[in-house]
mmCIF file of all heavy atoms in Angstrom:
data_model
loop_
_atom_site.group_PDB
_atom_site.id
_atom_site.type_symbol
_atom_site.label_atom_id
_atom_site.label_comp_id
_atom_site.label_asym_id
_atom_site.label_seq_id
_atom_site.Cartn_x
_atom_site.Cartn_y
_atom_site.Cartn_z
ATOM 1 N N ARG A 294 10.704 11.538 -24.828
ATOM 2 C CA ARG A 294 9.453 12.249 -24.572
ATOM 3 C C ARG A 294 9.539 13.160 -23.358
ATOM 4 O O ARG A 294 8.935 14.227 -23.333
ATOM 5 C CB ARG A 294 8.306 11.264 -24.366
ATOM 6 C CG ARG A 294 8.049 10.368 -25.570
ATOM 7 C CD ARG A 294 6.773 9.542 -25.391
ATOM 8 N NE ARG A 294 6.856 8.649 -24.245
ATOM 9 C CZ ARG A 294 6.058 8.720 -23.177
ATOM 10 N NH1 ARG A 294 5.103 9.648 -23.122
ATOM 11 N NH2 ARG A 294 6.202 7.860 -22.180
ATOM 12 N N PHE A 295 10.284 12.734 -22.342
ATOM 13 C CA PHE A 295 10.410 13.505 -21.108
ATOM 14 C C PHE A 295 11.797 14.125 -21.029
ATOM 15 O O PHE A 295 12.781 13.545 -21.492
ATOM 16 C CB PHE A 295 10.214 12.612 -19.879
ATOM 17 C CG PHE A 295 8.813 12.106 -19.667
ATOM 18 C CD1 PHE A 295 7.823 12.262 -20.629
ATOM 19 C CD2 PHE A 295 8.491 11.464 -18.479
ATOM 20 C CE1 PHE A 295 6.536 11.790 -20.420
ATOM 21 C CE2 PHE A 295 7.210 10.994 -18.260
ATOM 22 C CZ PHE A 295 6.233 11.150 -19.224
ATOM 23 N N THR A 296 11.877 15.280 -20.409
ATOM 24 C CA THR A 296 13.148 15.960 -20.218
ATOM 25 C C THR A 296 13.244 16.490 -18.796
ATOM 26 O O THR A 296 12.356 17.210 -18.341
ATOM 27 C CB THR A 296 13.315 17.132 -21.196
ATOM 28 O OG1 THR A 296 13.172 16.668 -22.542
ATOM 29 C CG2 THR A 296 14.698 17.767 -21.033
ATOM 30 N N ILE A 297 14.311 16.134 -18.111
ATOM 31 C CA ILE A 297 14.550 16.653 -16.777
ATOM 32 C C ILE A 297 15.554 17.799 -16.858
ATOM 33 O O ILE A 297 16.481 17.770 -17.669
ATOM 34 C CB ILE A 297 15.055 15.546 -15.825
ATOM 35 C CG1 ILE A 297 15.078 16.047 -14.378
ATOM 36 C CG2 ILE A 297 16.417 15.014 -16.252
ATOM 37 C CD1 ILE A 297 15.356 14.948 -13.354
ATOM 38 N N SER A 298 15.349 18.799 -16.036
ATOM 39 C CA SER A 298 16.280 19.910 -15.960
ATOM 40 C C SER A 298 16.265 20.465 -14.543
ATOM 41 O O SER A 298 15.383 20.135 -13.749
ATOM 42 C CB SER A 298 15.924 21.003 -16.978
ATOM 43 O OG SER A 298 14.639 21.540 -16.728
ATOM 44 N N ARG A 299 17.245 21.288 -14.236
ATOM 45 C CA ARG A 299 17.277 21.882 -12.908
ATOM 46 C C ARG A 299 17.785 23.303 -12.985
ATOM 47 O O ARG A 299 18.554 23.671 -13.881
ATOM 48 C CB ARG A 299 18.139 21.053 -11.946
ATOM 49 C CG ARG A 299 19.626 21.039 -12.268
ATOM 50 C CD ARG A 299 20.362 20.007 -11.408
ATOM 51 N NE ARG A 299 20.323 20.344 -9.994
ATOM 52 C CZ ARG A 299 20.532 19.467 -9.004
ATOM 53 N NH1 ARG A 299 20.782 18.189 -9.299
ATOM 54 N NH2 ARG A 299 20.488 19.868 -7.738
ATOM 55 N N ASP A 300 17.345 24.099 -12.041
ATOM 56 C CA ASP A 300 17.797 25.467 -11.887
ATOM 57 C C ASP A 300 18.265 25.594 -10.449
ATOM 58 O O ASP A 300 17.458 25.755 -9.534
ATOM 59 C CB ASP A 300 16.677 26.453 -12.197
ATOM 60 C CG ASP A 300 17.141 27.892 -12.203
ATOM 61 O OD1 ASP A 300 18.190 28.198 -11.604
ATOM 62 O OD2 ASP A 300 16.447 28.735 -12.813
ATOM 63 N N ASN A 301 19.566 25.502 -10.256
ATOM 64 C CA ASN A 301 20.102 25.507 -8.899
ATOM 65 C C ASN A 301 19.876 26.833 -8.186
ATOM 66 O O ASN A 301 19.780 26.873 -6.961
ATOM 67 C CB ASN A 301 21.587 25.161 -8.922
ATOM 68 C CG ASN A 301 21.832 23.686 -9.173
ATOM 69 O OD1 ASN A 301 20.894 22.893 -9.241
ATOM 70 N ND2 ASN A 301 23.092 23.313 -9.319
ATOM 71 N N ALA A 302 19.796 27.918 -8.939
ATOM 72 C CA ALA A 302 19.531 29.219 -8.337
ATOM 73 C C ALA A 302 18.134 29.290 -7.744
ATOM 74 O O ALA A 302 17.884 30.072 -6.826
ATOM 75 C CB ALA A 302 19.722 30.326 -9.361
ATOM 76 N N LYS A 303 17.218 28.476 -8.271
ATOM 77 C CA LYS A 303 15.842 28.457 -7.787
ATOM 78 C C LYS A 303 15.529 27.234 -6.943
ATOM 79 O O LYS A 303 14.384 27.051 -6.529
ATOM 80 C CB LYS A 303 14.866 28.517 -8.964
ATOM 81 C CG LYS A 303 14.948 29.795 -9.773
ATOM 82 C CD LYS A 303 13.934 29.781 -10.913
ATOM 83 C CE LYS A 303 13.980 31.077 -11.697
ATOM 84 N NZ LYS A 303 13.011 31.069 -12.824
ATOM 85 N N ASN A 304 16.523 26.397 -6.704
ATOM 86 C CA ASN A 304 16.318 25.152 -5.956
ATOM 87 C C ASN A 304 15.173 24.332 -6.541
ATOM 88 O O ASN A 304 14.358 23.754 -5.814
ATOM 89 C CB ASN A 304 16.045 25.443 -4.477
ATOM 90 C CG ASN A 304 17.291 25.829 -3.710
ATOM 91 O OD1 ASN A 304 18.337 26.102 -4.284
ATOM 92 N ND2 ASN A 304 17.181 25.867 -2.398
ATOM 93 N N THR A 305 15.135 24.267 -7.847
ATOM 94 C CA THR A 305 14.001 23.650 -8.524
ATOM 95 C C THR A 305 14.458 22.667 -9.591
ATOM 96 O O THR A 305 15.409 22.939 -10.331
ATOM 97 C CB THR A 305 13.110 24.719 -9.172
ATOM 98 O OG1 THR A 305 12.651 25.629 -8.161
ATOM 99 C CG2 THR A 305 11.899 24.088 -9.845
ATOM 100 N N VAL A 306 13.778 21.548 -9.647
ATOM 101 C CA VAL A 306 13.963 20.587 -10.718
ATOM 102 C C VAL A 306 12.649 20.477 -11.477
ATOM 103 O O VAL A 306 11.570 20.571 -10.888
ATOM 104 C CB VAL A 306 14.427 19.214 -10.180
ATOM 105 C CG1 VAL A 306 13.377 18.591 -9.263
ATOM 106 C CG2 VAL A 306 14.779 18.272 -11.328
ATOM 107 N N TYR A 307 12.752 20.287 -12.785
ATOM 108 C CA TYR A 307 11.587 20.247 -13.649
ATOM 109 C C TYR A 307 11.509 18.917 -14.385
ATOM 110 O O TYR A 307 12.520 18.265 -14.639
ATOM 111 C CB TYR A 307 11.636 21.361 -14.692
ATOM 112 C CG TYR A 307 11.776 22.745 -14.116
ATOM 113 C CD1 TYR A 307 13.026 23.341 -13.992
ATOM 114 C CD2 TYR A 307 10.663 23.463 -13.703
ATOM 115 C CE1 TYR A 307 13.164 24.612 -13.469
ATOM 116 C CE2 TYR A 307 10.790 24.733 -13.177
ATOM 117 C CZ TYR A 307 12.039 25.306 -13.059
ATOM 118 O OH TYR A 307 12.164 26.573 -12.539
ATOM 119 N N LEU A 308 10.303 18.553 -14.733
ATOM 120 C CA LEU A 308 10.086 17.419 -15.621
ATOM 121 C C LEU A 308 9.141 17.864 -16.726
ATOM 122 O O LEU A 308 7.947 18.059 -16.484
ATOM 123 C CB LEU A 308 9.501 16.219 -14.875
ATOM 124 C CG LEU A 308 9.243 14.981 -15.735
ATOM 125 C CD1 LEU A 308 10.549 14.452 -16.329
ATOM 126 C CD2 LEU A 308 8.554 13.886 -14.930
ATOM 127 N N GLN A 309 9.690 18.044 -17.904
ATOM 128 C CA GLN A 309 8.887 18.371 -19.073
ATOM 129 C C GLN A 309 8.425 17.074 -19.709
ATOM 130 O O GLN A 309 9.249 16.244 -20.104
ATOM 131 C CB GLN A 309 9.701 19.188 -20.077
ATOM 132 C CG GLN A 309 8.956 19.534 -21.359
ATOM 133 C CD GLN A 309 7.812 20.493 -21.122
ATOM 134 O OE1 GLN A 309 7.946 21.450 -20.381
ATOM 135 N NE2 GLN A 309 6.674 20.229 -21.755
ATOM 136 N N MET A 310 7.132 16.895 -19.799
ATOM 137 C CA MET A 310 6.549 15.675 -20.323
ATOM 138 C C MET A 310 5.797 16.002 -21.609
ATOM 139 O O MET A 310 4.800 16.719 -21.582
ATOM 140 C CB MET A 310 5.607 15.031 -19.306
ATOM 141 C CG MET A 310 6.272 14.744 -17.967
ATOM 142 S SD MET A 310 5.189 13.861 -16.819
ATOM 143 C CE MET A 310 3.948 15.122 -16.535
ATOM 144 N N ASP A 311 6.289 15.479 -22.703
ATOM 145 C CA ASP A 311 5.676 15.679 -24.009
ATOM 146 C C ASP A 311 5.169 14.351 -24.549
ATOM 147 O O ASP A 311 5.573 13.286 -24.098
ATOM 148 C CB ASP A 311 6.680 16.279 -24.996
ATOM 149 C CG ASP A 311 7.186 17.640 -24.592
ATOM 150 O OD1 ASP A 311 6.383 18.451 -24.073
ATOM 151 O OD2 ASP A 311 8.391 17.913 -24.798
ATOM 152 N N SER A 312 4.300 14.436 -25.535
ATOM 153 C CA SER A 312 3.743 13.235 -26.165
ATOM 154 C C SER A 312 3.224 12.257 -25.126
ATOM 155 O O SER A 312 3.514 11.055 -25.162
ATOM 156 C CB SER A 312 4.798 12.566 -27.055
ATOM 157 O OG SER A 312 5.253 13.450 -28.058
ATOM 158 N N LEU A 313 2.441 12.764 -24.211
ATOM 159 C CA LEU A 313 1.954 11.947 -23.113
ATOM 160 C C LEU A 313 1.076 10.806 -23.607
ATOM 161 O O LEU A 313 0.321 10.950 -24.572
ATOM 162 C CB LEU A 313 1.180 12.802 -22.125
ATOM 163 C CG LEU A 313 2.047 13.655 -21.198
ATOM 164 C CD1 LEU A 313 1.216 14.748 -20.551
ATOM 165 C CD2 LEU A 313 2.697 12.773 -20.127
ATOM 166 N N LYS A 314 1.199 9.696 -22.911
ATOM 167 C CA LYS A 314 0.432 8.496 -23.203
ATOM 168 C C LYS A 314 -0.397 8.123 -21.988
ATOM 169 O O LYS A 314 -0.027 8.451 -20.860
ATOM 170 C CB LYS A 314 1.369 7.334 -23.547
ATOM 171 C CG LYS A 314 2.300 7.582 -24.709
ATOM 172 C CD LYS A 314 3.245 6.403 -24.889
ATOM 173 C CE LYS A 314 4.183 6.623 -26.048
ATOM 174 N NZ LYS A 314 5.110 5.471 -26.219
ATOM 175 N N PRO A 315 -1.501 7.418 -22.186
ATOM 176 C CA PRO A 315 -2.271 6.953 -21.028
ATOM 177 C C PRO A 315 -1.427 6.148 -20.042
ATOM 178 O O PRO A 315 -1.691 6.205 -18.835
ATOM 179 C CB PRO A 315 -3.360 6.084 -21.665
ATOM 180 C CG PRO A 315 -3.558 6.682 -23.015
ATOM 181 C CD PRO A 315 -2.184 7.109 -23.455
ATOM 182 N N GLU A 316 -0.435 5.438 -20.530
ATOM 183 C CA GLU A 316 0.445 4.660 -19.670
ATOM 184 C C GLU A 316 1.289 5.524 -18.739
ATOM 185 O O GLU A 316 1.897 5.007 -17.800
ATOM 186 C CB GLU A 316 1.378 3.775 -20.508
ATOM 187 C CG GLU A 316 0.666 2.899 -21.515
ATOM 188 C CD GLU A 316 0.582 3.549 -22.884
ATOM 189 O OE1 GLU A 316 -0.370 4.336 -23.103
ATOM 190 O OE2 GLU A 316 1.457 3.278 -23.734
ATOM 191 N N ASP A 317 1.345 6.821 -18.999
ATOM 192 C CA ASP A 317 2.079 7.732 -18.130
ATOM 193 C C ASP A 317 1.281 8.129 -16.896
ATOM 194 O O ASP A 317 1.814 8.799 -16.010
ATOM 195 C CB ASP A 317 2.475 8.997 -18.888
ATOM 196 C CG ASP A 317 3.434 8.723 -20.026
ATOM 197 O OD1 ASP A 317 4.351 7.898 -19.853
ATOM 198 O OD2 ASP A 317 3.266 9.344 -21.102
ATOM 199 N N THR A 318 0.019 7.748 -16.848
ATOM 200 C CA THR A 318 -0.822 8.083 -15.708
ATOM 201 C C THR A 318 -0.254 7.478 -14.433
ATOM 202 O O THR A 318 -0.037 6.272 -14.346
ATOM 203 C CB THR A 318 -2.251 7.581 -15.929
ATOM 204 O OG1 THR A 318 -2.828 8.267 -17.042
ATOM 205 C CG2 THR A 318 -3.113 7.829 -14.698
ATOM 206 N N ALA A 319 0.000 8.323 -13.455
ATOM 207 C CA ALA A 319 0.611 7.884 -12.205
ATOM 208 C C ALA A 319 0.719 9.072 -11.266
ATOM 209 O O ALA A 319 0.517 10.224 -11.669
ATOM 210 C CB ALA A 319 2.009 7.303 -12.456
#
């Protein structure tokens, strides 16, 4: 459901969260 990725040129890491569930609340 979740995918992590990074763009070193932008000094950025991403977390794509799909099919979210109430249990993901945090």
